[in-house]
Amino acid sequence: MSRWKALSTELDPRVRQLLTQLRRLKDHSGLSMRQLAAKTGYSEKSWERYLGGRSLPPREAVEALARIGGVDPVRLLALHEVAADTWGGGRHLDASAPTGPPPELVPEPGPVPTGPVPTGPVPTGPEFLAGPDRHPHPHPHPHPHPHPEQDAPQVSVAGRSLRVALVAGAVALVLALSSATLLVMRLDDGDREPAAGPPAVSTPPAPASAPAYTCRVERTDGLWYAGISRTRDTELGYGAAGPEVAEAQCLLRRAGISPGGIDGMFGPLTQRAVKAFQTRAGLAVDGTVGPLTWKALRG
């Protein structure tokens, strides 16, 4: 188990919560910083800055570490969004991280309530705005000539307070579920098996994970194949997915350039690996896999 240097007390508690969970995932994986860099495509020094609290890790780095640790990345990404907003709107994100779509920030939820999260339908009628001990109508004795413009500010303030309370309650629920998951992982650390998740709760279903592929690289008739696809001319670009992408990822790894995981998803790590290979092979560097790049990968 790594001996981590204590995080700075000047960090926001929500940033400390994210970094603490990332450190636990790294320890649980059993990988060194060098091995972690090889599997994620981020440099060893970048991970030292991320886990040391000197730089907020990008969204893609958090997702890659979650896949390596065998946990659902959705909860960690929710923590990352809150931490990124606290960090300063992403102004201190590491410049060495791969370029890609910026993380979507959520509004500052304010102080997290300590009581139970309210369940059931939320009252929205005039009785809720007036309070339980008041007349349902905003004015017990309605004036024959009402003034809607005088009531509008009260309704707006109440609606805004309700939205803030709901967002804060959702964040508290995510933090509680994440802490429970990591506690189970620590208890089961001796078996090196992914810990079972918490009991099912009424939260949105997590997106299906990408299929896993296995590289079986061998040379046939003077060409390299990974046993997933035998294509030589399929055009692949950013956002593509499927076995052809997994075949290209295996061949990039065979060439000594890590595309991240072999997941069949053409993301920023795979695009960066393709550009590095094209530069080394003397090809046009466009970050896409076409017939010439296929020929160089299989040759």
Side-chain angles (χ1 to χ4, degrees):
M1 189 71 67
S2 300
R3 294 185 179 179
W4 295 102
K5 182 179 179 181
L7 292 171
S8 172
T9 56
E10 297 181 358
L11 290 175
D12 187 275
R14 285 160 287 190
V15 177
R16 293 168 61 88
Q17 172 76 4
L18 173 65
L19 298 183
T20 298
Q21 297 196 24
L22 292 180
R23 286 181 172 189
R24 290 175 180 172
L25 277 178
K26 189 267 181 188
D27 290 341
H28 184 73
S29 70
L31 299 175
S32 65
M33 285 293 189
R34 181 174 298 178
Q35 293 171 332
L36 183 62
K39 284 184 173 290
T40 61
Y42 292 83
S43 69
E44 182 177 350
K45 291 184 178 179
S46 293
W47 276 114
E48 290 176 355
R49 289 195 301 272
Y50 299 157
L51 300 179
R54 299 192 302 274
S55 179
L56 187 67
R59 179 187 180 91
E60 291 80 5
V62 173
E63 186 174 5
L65 183 54
R67 287 201 306 267
I68 292 174
V71 299
D72 187 351
V74 173
R75 297 186 182 94
L76 280 178
L77 293 179
L79 290 177
H80 180 271
E81 290 180 358
V82 176
D85 190 31
T86 302
W87 193 272
R91 292 193 299 271
H92 299 283
L93 292 179
D94 194 298
S96 64
T99 59
E104 181 181 358
L105 304 181
V106 298
E108 176 66 28
V112 178
T114 56
V117 178
T119 59
V122 178
T124 57
E127 295 83 353
F128 171 77
L129 299 178
D133 299 328
R134 301 182 182 178
H135 194 277
H137 194 280
H139 304 285
H141 304 287
H143 195 276
H145 301 287
H147 301 281
E149 65 276 8
Q150 297 178 358
D151 299 335
Q154 300 177 3
V155 177
S156 175
V157 170
R160 199 159 47 242
S161 300
L162 176 60
R163 287 195 295 272
V164 170
L166 290 177
V167 171
V171 172
L173 178 60
V174 170
L175 292 175
L177 292 176
S178 301
S179 299
T181 301
L182 289 175
L183 178 60
V184 174
M185 288 174 56
R186 291 292 299 274
L187 294 176
D188 196 36
D189 187 59
D191 296 334
R192 309 302 296 175
E193 293 290 339
V201 293
S202 57
T203 56
S209 58
Y213 295 93
T214 302
C215 298
R216 298 183 177 87
V217 179
E218 60 180 2
R219 195 169 181 83
T220 304
D221 296 332
L223 299 177
W224 291 103
Y225 294 94
I228 302 175
S229 172
R230 300 184 69 85
T231 183
R232 297 187 188 180
D233 53 6
T234 302
E235 294 282 348
L236 302 176
Y238 190 91
E244 291 80 10
V245 177
E247 176 81 8
Q249 290 172 333
C250 289
L251 296 179
L252 286 168
R253 179 172 291 180
R254 187 209 68 80
I257 303 175
S258 174
I262 308 300
D263 54 5
M265 305 295 293
F266 202 119
L269 298 181
T270 300
Q271 185 182 57
R272 187 172 65 176
V274 170
K275 289 182 178 180
F277 178 80
Q278 290 173 332
T279 301
R280 192 175 70 182
L283 301 174
V285 181
D286 57 4
T288 63
V289 180
L292 294 179
T293 305
W294 278 117
K295 182 178 179 180
L297 285 171
R298 296 198 184 280

